[in-house]
Amino acid sequence: MSAIFNKELSTEELETLFQSDEKCLEFLAELKWSKGFICRKCGNTNHCPGKTPHSMRCTKCKKEESATTGTIFHNCKFPVSKAFYIAYNVCKGREELSTYEFARRLSLRQMTCWNFKTKIQHALQEMDSLNEVEKDSINKILTS
Ligand SMILES: [Zn+2]
């Protein structure tokens, strides 16, 4: 997951991402399929656009994959741009923000922020306890 933020983002880029779900999905899709699309179900590489923004659809088995599938943002119950904001601050933030602070800034319930922050921290801890090679595969799992 930290692979998401390996690329240094400018303040403007971040501002755009934090304000737009669509931009977040575009960002994830670009990252995910930077080496091209591979269907998670059948391995086919031919695709067409899916029904939802920035999703892909396999031309062979018709399986549709969203930009968040296989990332920490999958099945997130609140807007992906807000999740992005929390994830970025937990991974890269200079100061540690409390879940109350996240809740206030993003107009979310504190429990919601706490749950998501915990999820991110677990993912980060998991990566920390692995060696470099495994880390690489975890990055792949979380971002591809
Ligand atoms: Zn397929």
Side-chain angles (χ1 to χ4, degrees):
M1 191 208 42
S2 63
I4 291 171
F5 304 120
N6 273 354
K7 198 169 88 178
E8 282 304 319
L9 296 164
S10 71
T11 314
E12 294 83 54
E13 281 175 311
L14 285 171
E15 286 299 316
T16 318
L17 288 172
F18 295 154
Q19 277 159 29
S20 161
D21 291 334
E22 210 255 324
K23 287 280 173 206
C24 286
L25 292 175
E26 185 186 332
F27 179 81
L28 285 174
E30 271 175 24
L31 196 77
K32 237 174 109 119
W33 294 305
S34 59
K35 294 188 186 77
F37 172 85
I38 299 173
C39 176
R40 294 163 80 90
K41 204 176 165 195
C42 73
N44 180 30
T45 53
N46 287 324
H47 58 86
C48 58
K51 286 192 197 82
T52 57
H54 303 288
S55 64
M56 295 275 204
R57 190 183 165 96
C58 173
T59 51
K60 205 183 203 172
C61 72
K62 311 288 181 215
K63 168 101 180 137
E64 190 163 322
E65 186 178 328
S66 76
T68 57
T69 305
T71 75
I72 198 144
F73 304 105
H74 190 53
N75 285 336
C76 191
K77 299 281 185 290
F78 53 97
V80 65
S81 56
K82 294 185 179 186
F84 225 84
Y85 184 83
I86 298 177
Y88 186 82
N89 277 285
V90 172
C91 296
K92 290 270 182 165
R94 288 190 181 83
E95 43 166 355
E96 188 169 343
L97 297 175
S98 72
T99 52
Y100 290 98
E101 186 57 25
F102 280 128
R104 195 185 62 79
R105 291 188 189 184
L106 300 170
S107 314
L108 291 170
R109 287 189 311 137
Q110 186 263 332
M111 242 355 244
T112 308
C113 297
W114 188 87
N115 284 332
F116 190 67
K117 191 183 174 188
T118 306
K119 193 173 161 187
I120 295 163
Q121 283 169 333
H122 282 164
L124 289 175
Q125 273 164 16
E126 234 168 77
M127 281 195 279
D128 276 347
S129 62
L130 299 168
N131 66 36
E132 290 304 315
V133 180
E134 285 170 321
K135 242 183 222 177
D136 204 49
S137 55
I138 285 281
N139 279 345
K140 281 190 193 112
I141 292 164
L142 291 164
T143 57
S144 71

